[in-house]
Amino acid sequence: MKKSVLLSLLTLSALTTNAQEITLKGKELFGDLAARQIGPAIMSGRVTDLAMHPKNNQIIFLGAAGGGIWKSSDGGASFVPVFDKHIQSIGTIAFDPNNPDNVIWAGTGETWTRNSVSVGDGIYKSTDGGLNWTNMGLPKSDRISSIIVDPRDSNNIWVGVLGALWGDSEERGIYNSKDGGKTWNKIHYIDNKTGCSDLVIDPTNPNIMYASFWEFRRTAWSFNSGGNSSALFKTTDGGKTWNKIHNGFPSGQLGRIAIAVAPSNPNILFSVIECEKENEKGLYKSEDAGKTWKHLNNDFALVVRPFYFSRITIDPKNPDIIYKGGLNGSISRDGGKTFRNLGAMHSDIHDIIVDPIDTNRIYVGTDGGMYRSWNNGSTLDIVKNLPISQYYHITLDTEEPYNIYGGLQDNGSWYGPSKSDGGIEARDWNSVGYGDGFRVLKHPTKKIIYSEMQGAENIWRYNVETKELKTIQPLQEKGMAKLRFNWNTPIVTGLHNPDRIYAGSQFVHVSDDMGASWKIISPDLTTNDKLKMNQENSGGLSKDNSGAENHCTLFTIAESPLSKDIIWAGADDGNIQITQDGGKSWKNVTANIAGLPKNTWCYHIEASNFAKGSAYAVFEGHTKNDMNTYVYKTTDFGATWTSIVTKDIDGFARCIQEDYVNENLLFLGTEKGLYITVDGGKNWSKFENNMPAVAVMHLDLHKKTNDLVLATHGRGVIILDDISILRQVTNEVIASDVHFFKTKPFVKVENSSFGSTASELEFVGPNPSTSAQIVYYLKKRNTFGKMDMEIQDMNGNKIVSLPVSNQKGINIVTWDFNEKGPKVAIGKTLDYSGFTTPLVPAGKYKAVLTKGKDKYTQEFEVINDPKSPISTASRAEQRTTTKMLFDKVQNLAFMVYEIDEMIQLNEKIVSKDKSYAKTANKINAELNKLKNTMVITTGDNYVGSAEKQLREKLGAIYASIAGQYDAPSPSQKANIESVLELFNKAEAEFKKLEKTHLSKILEKAKKTNPEYKLKTFDEFIAG
């Protein structure tokens, strides 16, 4: 034991010898670095709960399985996220009926208990309509199914806690708070395996409530629904006492029980019951508030998968209209005797709400987002701005812009661009798979995409050019053991042979001909535990052998980027194995990991880019009800392992990404978001800048752009653009008062577009910035003294001033390569040429940061778009022409200013000497006549605008030339010649009038002494 501890200490020392400890945390470190959420919303995600304001049908709250809480203020037309700072798995949402405008409650932890659900961390309250939320307790509840606020007293709240999915829990049951959530008391409890799955209230008598309790348990290899403890209870005294109401219920064990009270007649109850006998399952009705029950219907649509579909909704005005969640969703108009499917929409219906004001309007939460209907569900329309897609994995290609490939829960497999004209919209995403999508891989050199669906039922090879689609998964062969594939089967392309692809069952399969043929290069690398291979009997009272519980399977495969012969494999039963000879021999190194509980799921292996023997392994034990974090590193092919977990990390981890340049820079995806270390794991910081606390399932780092791309299980794809700045963070940097980070040359991107084609209510993912980004670090927030930044040429001439950030940590200032725009002549209408700024030429520049009395300088380079065909000579001509027209625009502005000043001076003289009026009017008439040819002096900024004059013509050609990158075209040159002729004519006329009248006006002004000062040209431009 002493040797083991000593060895671990020595290993830790070896791992961290070159890693300086960086103690800055969170915002202090990351500063202005921010994530970019690109969706998509075309394939949305699972909606777990919906809640409508009881008096205002424009206000709707939506709870997502992994995407947080969203609010609509326009009747469900659009939604905005309101819960990003908190865990994103939502069980239920409830309004305070006494103050619904302001007070909303939310219970975290999804209650549709499939194998991939996230976890919760308690109950939350908002007192400002959802803008801010406070955790009000029950942190170990794991899954909250129901919240009821007493309509007589807002401080009296009842909460139904379903509890832990993966283990025993004493936190289950019904809780009550009488002080607004400050304290909680458990008022009804069955046992540590049975939780409250539904809690509903009689709308006419708050003392009457109904509670269904469900005995259930999931393991990594099985699911059990039902037992002797499942039951339906009723209280008539506000929860003090509870009694079973089973008169007419099925005999034997019960499973999940759905319960609903008719709002228009609270004596009418409906319940869907899971039980032992198939013919007794289904819909039950009580017409005497639960005293007796009658079995009405056991249609398949009502009883299918009760753990996933257990929500009944009754029309607020008509108790005969009933909705039931299910594969397609069902509606009955005859009190439950018969049902028909709702209209076409995504399958798997979890919640349905009915507008209490207009009961024809319903809202439906599905595995693929939220739908709206105006005719009771006969036809439905999807909400197109809910980017709550649930990715399992992502990979990237080397295209420009690069594409992101990934698979989603119940939404197939897709790929789309990291940027697109006008933003990344629905049209940019391409479907390349069905079912539950997982790994999607781009062939490294060919127009080939590999994708898969659950359990390797299909692995496809798709030729993007020819549209050829071929199924290529490894198949059972004579003499071969039955293949066991995980629901989330690992497939990986080779790093050394582009035609190679790996797949994992209990064996490692390899193909060197893109899946046409396969060979097994390993023995069974799992524990091969027969007790965990009885999936056909999984489900409990309702058999559920979907393949989601397949176990003793490989889950992660990693080929070393440094050697084709080094391959790692990790299994869902905890095994981690390595071969160093291309599969001829394998070594199980699981026992070498100190402190790792036995059989903890090996979720991800990352083979290092820096040493053949180095790798990272992420294990996660939440399927054993173990929420701890397990992340290890080896430098000796798995002989020894060192934990790189610190107390900074909250939540179990699923994936890790090593930087390609700095081995101390690591990114960790956890159940509660993204963590980053810049010192090899000594300290971790949670990244929260535009980054929700969402489950991060997979990470990938683009080698060319340095973008970190995250597959999240609830908020789609999230990108941290260019993380290279973090490679430079050292103790020397954070000890500096001010430090400028080195950046690549900034590219003046020349491509243009006419923008997005999306409608106003569609989600559009933002593109990355194309501006220059000057990045600096501040040791302390600047609170005293002026702080600003100038961009200068290399001779110190000011180009522009830029606003700066003065916060502690990393600050980013953006510059669009612009110089100062021209000052334009004042007219009756706006002249938009003044908003067109010339762009600086390629070259070197300086950013000069002034902080109090100190100045800090950083040189950087601007380069032309390397894809551009424009010649240097053409660029030079464009710039010369732009400068000439820029000067003309400003000269015209100054002439108009002088004309206005002379007219105003004349009017001031007349106010003091009426005898001068005739002369002044004559001079002013001549000046106004000229001005009318220089600028528009009548009309408006729309269709009422007058004929364009010199300012508009000159401004138009200036803006056109300044806005392009190449030399003026022959047509533009002809236009310039025409406009300059008008300019020269106006200038000559102005000089003539100035020579004729200005001296006389000034002479007259001396006598009357009006307040007057004519600015010089430089003063005018500067002012």
Side-chain angles (χ1 to χ4, degrees):
M1 182 64 187
K2 291 181 179 179
K3 288 183 178 180
S4 175
V5 173
L6 178 60
L7 189 57
S8 294
L9 290 173
L10 290 173
T11 305
L12 177 61
S13 176
L15 284 176
T16 58
T17 296
N18 297 318
Q20 299 174 313
E21 187 167 353
I22 309 297
T23 57
L24 290 182
K25 304 292 182 184
K27 191 72 174 177
E28 290 184 344
L29 175 61
F30 302 125
D32 286 340
L33 293 176
R36 177 164 60 99
Q37 301 180 33
I38 69 167
I42 184 175
M43 49 290 193
S44 195
R46 190 163 64 255
V47 174
T48 54
D49 195 64
L50 298 167
M52 178 176 283
H53 190 295
K55 299 176 182 177
N56 181 355
N57 62 3
Q58 296 299 297
I59 306 297
I60 302 170
F61 280 82
L62 176 151
I69 299 174
W70 296 67
K71 180 181 180 179
S72 174
S73 300
D74 51 18
S78 63
F79 284 83
V80 294
V82 295
F83 202 69
D84 283 7
K85 295 179 181 179
H86 312 287
I87 202 161
Q88 295 287 286
S89 179
I90 305 302
T92 187
I93 302 170
F95 286 88
D96 180 344
N98 307 296
N99 187 5
D101 290 341
N102 297 304
V103 180
I104 302 98
W105 290 82
T108 60
E110 182 184 3
T111 60
W112 310 121
T113 53
R114 63 171 298 116
N115 61 325
S116 58
V117 293
S118 290
V119 300
D121 66 355
I123 187 168
Y124 288 79
K125 180 182 181 181
S126 173
T127 58
D128 54 12
L131 294 177
N132 297 281
W133 299 80
T134 301
N135 190 306
M136 301 301 292
L138 307 179
K140 296 181 180 180
S141 55
D142 199 67
R143 299 173 199 284
I144 293 176
S145 64
S146 314
I147 300 172
I148 295 173
V149 181
D150 192 331
R152 303 162 301 185
D153 178 6
S154 294
N155 286 317
N156 193 27
I157 305 115
W158 296 278
V159 175
V161 174
L162 183 62
L165 172 61
W166 304 97
D168 292 346
S169 172
E170 299 291 335
E171 309 298 323
R172 308 183 196 276
I174 299 174
Y175 289 78
N176 177 233
S177 174
K178 296 189 178 298
D179 54 12
K182 295 177 183 177
T183 59
W184 297 93
N185 295 303
K186 190 189 297 185
I187 60 172
H188 191 48
Y189 173 76
I190 305 298
D191 58 42
N192 60 14
K193 293 179 174 58
T194 308
C196 179
S197 55
D198 259 330
L199 178 64
V200 296
I201 192 170
D202 183 319
T204 62
N205 185 350
N207 287 321
I208 298 175
M209 290 179 284
Y210 302 88
S212 61
F213 274 72
W214 178 33
E215 183 179 337
F216 69 105
R217 176 62 49 83
R218 184 177 284 282
T219 69
W221 57 90
S222 68
F223 179 67
N224 184 72
S225 176
N228 294 322
S229 297
S230 295
L232 180 63
F233 295 88
K234 179 179 181 178
T235 180
T236 57
D237 55 13
K240 295 176 183 178
T241 59
W242 296 84
N243 298 294
K244 287 184 181 180
I245 49 171
H246 287 195
N247 187 10
F249 265 33
S251 58
Q253 293 184 341
L254 301 178
R256 190 160 192 169
I257 303 169
I259 179 68
V261 180
S264 58
N265 183 352
N267 286 320
I268 296 177
L269 312 178
F270 286 97
S271 179
V272 174
I273 301 174
E274 181 186 17
C275 60
E276 292 182 10
K277 297 179 181 179
E278 291 297 324
N279 64 346
E280 293 183 347
K281 294 179 179 179
L283 182 69
Y284 286 71
K285 181 179 182 180
S286 172
E287 296 181 306
D288 51 15
K291 292 179 182 178
T292 59
W293 293 89
K294 181 180 179 181
H295 189 201
L296 296 183
N297 197 314
N298 70 340
D299 288 353
F300 173 80
L302 300 180
V303 302
V304 63
R305 302 193 97 185
F307 80 87
Y308 208 40
F309 313 120
S310 187
R311 183 65 56 83
I312 306 170
T313 302
I314 305 172
D315 185 286
K317 298 177 181 178
N318 186 344
D320 287 334
I321 299 178
I322 309 154
Y323 300 89
K324 170 67 173 61
L327 286 174
N328 301 297
S330 306
I331 181 173
S332 172
R333 295 181 179 274
D334 56 11
K337 297 175 184 177
T338 61
F339 281 82
R340 66 169 177 82
N341 286 345
L342 296 175
M345 58 181 155
H346 195 288
S347 60
D348 293 358
I349 314 306
H350 299 289
D351 195 17
I352 301 168
I353 60 171
V354 182
D355 184 337
I357 299 171
D358 178 3
T359 56
N360 290 314
R361 292 200 330 174
I362 69 168
Y363 300 85
V364 184
T366 78
D367 262 22
M370 194 191 92
Y371 288 76
R372 302 168 293 175
S373 175
W374 292 266
N375 55 13
N376 298 103
S378 295
T379 56
L380 299 107
D381 176 53
I382 191 170
V383 174
K384 297 179 180 178
N385 60 1
L386 278 171
I388 54 174
S389 47
Q390 296 171 280
Y391 274 85
Y392 285 106
H393 289 270
I394 50 95
T395 58
L396 314 173
D397 66 16
T398 57
E399 299 292 323
E400 173 55 44
Y402 65 85
N403 291 296
I404 301 160
Y405 302 79
L408 300 97
Q409 194 279 314
D410 206 21
N411 277 281
S413 298
W414 300 75
Y415 75 94
S418 55
K419 61 181 177 182
S420 183
D421 292 346
I424 306 160
E425 44 184 295
R427 63 170 183 172
D428 293 313
W429 293 91
N430 304 277
S431 176
V432 288
Y434 305 121
D436 279 53
F438 295 96
R439 275 86 163 180
V440 185
L441 314 171
K442 171 68 170 59
H443 188 288
T445 60
K446 300 175 182 177
K447 299 292 185 179
I448 297 288
I449 296 172
Y450 304 103
S451 63
E452 63 173 332
M453 66 183 295
Q454 61 268 25
E457 289 182 25
N458 282 298
I459 299 177
W460 295 286
R461 186 183 70 208
Y462 178 62
N463 189 311
V464 178
E465 292 180 330
T466 66
K467 309 300 181 184
E468 177 193 13
L469 181 64
K470 188 171 181 63
T471 304
I472 62 166
Q473 68 267 24
L475 299 172
Q476 197 78 31
E477 298 179 10
K478 184 178 180 181
M480 182 187 295
K482 179 183 177 182
L483 299 179
R484 302 190 302 271
F485 290 99
N486 194 277
W487 180 257
N488 184 344
T489 297
I491 58 173
V492 185
T493 51
L495 299 177
H496 304 278
N497 175 359
D499 286 343
R500 171 168 283 201
I501 181 171
Y502 297 92
S505 57
Q506 68 268 46
F507 309 112
V508 175
H509 304 256
V510 65
S511 171
D512 286 324
D513 52 14
M514 300 187 298
S517 61
W518 294 88
K519 63 180 178 179
I520 293 175
I521 62 167
S522 79
D524 187 332
L525 298 179
T526 74
T527 60
N528 194 24
D529 187 342
K530 304 301 182 185
L531 296 177
K532 299 176 181 177
M533 298 181 195
N534 191 27
Q535 283 73 35
E536 62 271 16
N537 292 317
S538 182
L541 296 181
S542 301
K543 292 292 182 265
D544 201 273
N545 183 21
S546 66
E549 287 77 37
N550 286 357
H551 202 62
C552 295
T553 63
L554 295 184
F555 192 78
T556 177
I557 299 172
E559 182 185 77
S560 169
L562 304 178
S563 171
K564 64 181 177 60
D565 292 325
I566 300 174
I567 306 165
W568 295 85
D572 54 15
D573 57 11
N575 273 0
I576 180 169
Q577 307 223 26
I578 180 175
T579 178
Q580 298 183 52
D581 53 17
K584 295 176 184 177
S585 62
W586 290 81
K587 186 174 183 180
N588 189 334
V589 297
T590 315
N592 300 335
I593 307 176
L596 177 67
K598 188 177 180 181
N599 299 127
T600 302
W601 195 307
C602 184
Y603 211 89
H604 179 66
I605 302 171
E606 175 89 351
S608 177
N609 296 279
F610 297 95
K612 291 181 180 180
S614 294
Y616 301 87
V618 179
F619 295 81
E620 70 104 320
H622 92 276
T623 58
K624 298 165 58 182
N625 214 32
D626 178 0
M627 305 300 169
N628 292 311
T629 313
Y630 301 104
V631 186
Y632 300 89
K633 182 178 183 179
T634 181
T635 58
D636 51 13
F637 301 97
T640 59
W641 296 84
T642 300
S643 172
I644 55 171
V645 173
T646 69
K647 62 181 180 181
D648 303 315
I649 303 170
D650 179 20
F652 55 89
R654 285 198 174 95
C655 54
I656 193 167
Q657 175 67 50
E658 180 188 58
D659 183 38
Y660 298 123
V661 177
N662 179 354
E663 65 179 314
N664 293 317
L665 177 57
L666 303 171
F667 305 90
L668 187 68
T670 78
E671 175 70 5
K672 298 182 181 180
L674 175 68
Y675 286 81
I676 301 175
T677 177
V678 294
D679 58 11
K682 290 181 178 180
N683 295 274
W684 292 89
S685 289
K686 191 174 186 181
F687 187 89
E688 298 180 287
N689 296 351
N690 200 35
M691 174 68 204
V694 63
V696 179
M697 306 294 279
H698 193 67
L699 300 163
D700 204 354
L701 182 61
H702 199 275
K703 289 185 178 180
K704 183 178 179 181
T705 65
N706 302 312
D707 292 356
L708 180 72
V709 185
L710 290 69
T712 77
H713 207 64
R715 296 298 286 270
V717 175
I718 298 179
I719 303 175
L720 270 66
D721 294 303
D722 192 1
I723 54 81
S724 61
I725 294 300
L726 295 175
R727 294 169 179 159
Q728 304 174 43
V729 176
T730 65
N731 276 325
E732 288 75 20
V733 167
I734 65 175
S736 305
D737 289 334
V738 176
H739 174 82
F740 277 101
F741 290 96
K742 295 177 182 178
T743 53
K744 297 181 295 186
F746 299 118
V747 179
K748 289 197 298 177
V749 178
E750 295 180 7
N751 57 349
S752 301
S753 77
F754 291 102
S756 171
T757 64
S759 71
E760 290 76 9
L761 295 178
E762 288 185 56
F763 173 81
V764 178
N767 282 328
S769 172
T770 57
S771 303
Q773 294 190 323
I774 297 99
V775 187
Y776 58 94
Y777 168 83
L778 290 181
K779 184 178 180 180
K780 296 180 180 179
R781 176 180 175 83
N782 186 66
T783 54
F784 299 101
K786 181 181 178 183
M787 187 171 172
D788 59 29
M789 180 179 288
E790 282 188 4
I791 303 298
Q792 300 177 357
D793 63 22
M794 295 306 289
N795 295 319
N797 298 309
K798 176 183 172 181
I799 298 174
V800 289
S801 292
L802 299 174
V804 297
S805 173
N806 65 349
Q807 66 183 348
K808 180 179 180 178
I810 294 173
N811 295 266
I812 300 176
V813 174
T814 60
W815 177 46
D816 292 329
F817 311 107
N818 59 299
E819 300 177 340
K820 189 177 180 181
K823 191 156 189 174
V824 299
I826 295 175
K828 181 66 166 60
T829 60
L830 286 174
D831 179 32
Y832 294 98
S833 64
F835 299 107
T836 304
T837 59
L839 300 181
V840 297
K844 291 188 175 181
Y845 297 89
K846 295 189 294 185
V848 180
L849 179 68
T850 301
K851 183 175 179 287
K853 297 179 180 179
D854 299 319
K855 291 184 181 296
Y856 303 87
T857 300
Q858 171 79 343
E859 295 182 8
F860 61 92
E861 186 177 6
V862 174
I863 61 174
N864 294 319
D865 194 328
K867 300 187 296 294
S868 174
I870 301 173
S871 68
T872 302
S874 180
R875 293 180 188 280
E877 185 177 351
Q878 182 271 344
R879 180 157 179 80
T880 300
T881 306
T882 298
K883 180 66 170 65
M884 179 271 292
L885 293 171
F886 180 98
D887 291 342
K888 297 297 184 185
V889 169
Q890 295 207 134
N891 288 338
L892 176 62
F894 188 60
M895 283 191 285
V896 172
Y897 161 74
E898 290 184 287
I899 288 172
D900 288 341
E901 288 297 304
M902 282 192 281
I903 291 172
Q904 290 179 26
L905 180 57
N906 267 336
E907 291 172 350
K908 289 179 180 179
I909 295 172
V910 169
S911 68
K912 295 190 176 185
D913 183 355
K914 303 299 183 184
S915 65
Y916 181 65
K918 185 175 181 180
T919 303
N921 289 341
K922 180 181 178 182
I923 295 172
N924 286 355
E926 293 180 37
L927 291 172
N928 276 318
K929 181 179 179 181
L930 174 60
K931 180 181 176 181
N932 289 342
T933 68
M934 290 179 163
V935 296
I936 291 176
T937 57
T938 61
D940 58 30
N941 286 301
Y942 191 43
V943 294
S945 178
E947 185 72 20
K948 293 179 181 179
Q949 301 301 328
L950 176 58
R951 182 191 69 167
E952 288 68 42
K953 296 174 182 178
L954 178 60
I957 190 60
Y958 157 74
S960 178
I961 302 301
Q964 66 190 46
Y965 297 91
D966 58 346
S969 66
S971 177
Q972 287 174 320
K973 289 179 179 178
N975 180 253
I976 291 171
E977 183 179 353
S978 172
V979 171
L980 289 182
E981 184 177 335
L982 294 175
F983 177 89
N984 293 334
K985 181 180 178 181
E987 184 180 45
E989 180 65 19
F990 171 73
K991 288 181 178 179
K992 177 181 175 183
L993 291 175
E994 184 181 45
K995 183 177 180 181
T996 302
H997 299 301
L998 183 59
S999 59
K1000 295 178 181 178
I1001 297 172
L1002 294 175
E1003 184 65 29
K1004 186 69 176 176
K1006 288 181 181 178
K1007 297 177 181 179
T1008 55
N1009 196 29
E1011 185 178 337
Y1012 171 76
K1013 183 181 185 303
L1014 185 67
K1015 295 178 181 178
T1016 66
F1017 178 81
D1018 290 339
E1019 289 173 336
F1020 169 73
I1021 296 301

